[in-house]
Amino acid sequence: MDLFLKNIKSQTYALNGWDFISAFANIPFTFYFKNPGQSDFMSSSLLRASFLRTLQEFPIMAGHLVVRDTRGYIVVDKNNLNMPEYAESQSCIDYKFVEAGKFSWDALPHPVSTVTAVPSKGANRNIKLVNVNVVRLRNNSGVALFVNMPHYVVDGYGYAVFVRRWAEVCTWMHDDTYENELPLREFVFDRAVVRDAMPTDMLPLDDACTRMYEKTSTMGHLLAWMSPETRGDVLITGTKLMPANGHIFHVSRNTINKLRSRVEQSGLARRVSDND
């Protein structure tokens, strides 16, 4: 923690219109890990220390979401950080029961998720840019790890980059000797990089998208003028009036590999990344 506070710098990241179009949603995922028989399996100290080490490479996650003259920004103030929410608890449920329940939300006695589908105020009345909840399953049988990030900050790819980097750092720190130094990586959070890389000649939007973006509404204008925190309160109230059901879909690695093989055999596939 001291090293993180020592190295972080004050800076401001300007958000663009696309950030705010998708900003009404969180990106929440729950990861389940089965203990193969290790006494120190995913220890609390290791998870927290590796999380803070990863945070050094993602300083934007300790920023405040602010709006100035209808423009959105993430402001990192080293003297007033908006630190991520990090919680840990012990469950009375064994991993084998969670697995037998096909990882249903109802398999655990209390929610693993600590946020709703909409970004809203956290403990210090600010929207947290990372929410982590570590749930240790009974008899050290496994861990349920919940990680959430608002769409204001990252897209799905950026979310995956953060979680994957956390896993890399955690694996490295698990070796107490630290024989091989793990260099700090530098990630770019400037939205202008994406804008400047876009081609000047682009295909027009299809009719459905054009109508969606051109159509205006009183509610849309009202929500746009609200602060992110107030917008979150309004949307959460709306979801309570019109409740929705959440579902978990578990897709095995074997199924994914079979699907990938079938797509590649079709001759129409173009592999872009290891996540495809």
Side-chain angles (χ1 to χ4, degrees), residues 90 94 112 134:
Q90 179 68 48
D94 194 284
V112 178
V134 181

Side-chain angles (χ1 to χ4, degrees), residues 49-109:
S50 58
F51 176 78
L52 290 173
R53 169 62 164 76
T54 307
L55 209 60
Q56 291 184 48
E57 302 175 347
F58 293 82
I60 192 173
M61 301 302 185
H64 292 266
L65 184 63
V66 301
V67 177
R68 300 171 181 164
D69 299 326
T70 70
R71 290 290 305 276
Y73 302 87
I74 294 178
V75 178
V76 179
D77 181 354
K78 67 177 183 180
N79 297 316
N80 180 29
L81 296 175
N82 181 28
M83 290 298 292
E85 178 186 75
Y86 191 103
E88 183 169 340
S89 60
Q90 179 68 48
S91 174
C92 61
I93 299 298
D94 194 284
Y95 180 90
K96 62 183 179 182
F97 292 108
V98 178
E99 187 176 33
K102 298 181 179 179
F103 304 97
S104 166
W105 286 119
D106 298 329
L108 291 172

Side-chain angles (χ1 to χ4, degrees), residues 42 65 78 105 109 117 154 172 187 212 228 256 267 274:
M42 298 180 69
L65 184 63
K78 67 177 183 180
W105 286 119
V154 293
W172 169 70
F187 295 92
M212 180 175 65
I256 293 175
D274 291 338

